Amino acid sequence: NFDPSELLCPSCSPIRVEDCPKHGKDYIEFKCRFCCTIAVWFCFGTTHFCEPCHNNNGRLTSSKKEDLVQCPCKPKDRHGLPEKLKDTTDCPLGLKHPPHGEEY
């Protein structure tokens, strides 16, 4: 459950959102800050998380950037930490993005 009054539109978000010339910015999806998955949470006014990374936010947000698992990676399950994907070097999102630990 969530409180709809706590939702932020991209214009109210403290994170600068570029305007897509084709789609606008109302429906932009964000990448999780800690893995190669679409974010479903926006916390602390600064950080996008997927569900599993949100469930592990204390451990992830206190980790040094150089200790985070880098692309390509995904959480193993709903409560797991990101794990390096085997047998591929391609990001599951099909993106070139900054290192994990940075917003994108």
Side-chain angles (χ1 to χ4, degrees):
N1 293 340
F2 69 94
D3 180 351
S5 70
E6 293 178 351
L7 296 177
L8 290 176
C9 71
S11 297
C12 295
S13 172
I15 294 176
R16 188 167 180 258
V17 176
E18 296 295 325
D19 194 9
C20 173
K22 183 175 181 181
H23 304 104
K25 61 182 178 181
D26 290 336
Y27 301 101
I28 288 178
E29 292 181 311
F30 287 87
K31 180 192 140 322
C32 176
R33 187 178 199 144
F34 299 100
C35 73
C36 303
T37 307
I38 296 296
V40 294
W41 292 93
F42 181 58
C43 299
F44 321 120
T46 59
T47 309
H48 288 90
F49 293 96
C50 65
E51 181 71 19
C53 289
H54 185 263
N55 292 337
N56 289 289
N57 76 75
R59 193 179 317 181
L60 291 168
T61 57
S62 63
S63 295
K64 294 178 183 176
K65 276 191 208 178
E66 58 268 16
D67 294 336
L68 296 172
V69 178
Q70 294 299 319
C71 184
C73 72
K74 282 180 134 178
K76 184 176 181 179
D77 56 41
R78 190 166 184 258
H79 297 284
L81 289 165
E83 295 181 3
K84 193 78 169 165
L85 295 178
K86 297 178 171 103
D87 303 323
T88 186
T89 57
D90 297 327
C91 177
L93 294 173
L95 301 172
K96 285 194 164 215
H97 54 78
H100 293 147
E102 297 178 26
E103 280 294 307
Y104 181 74

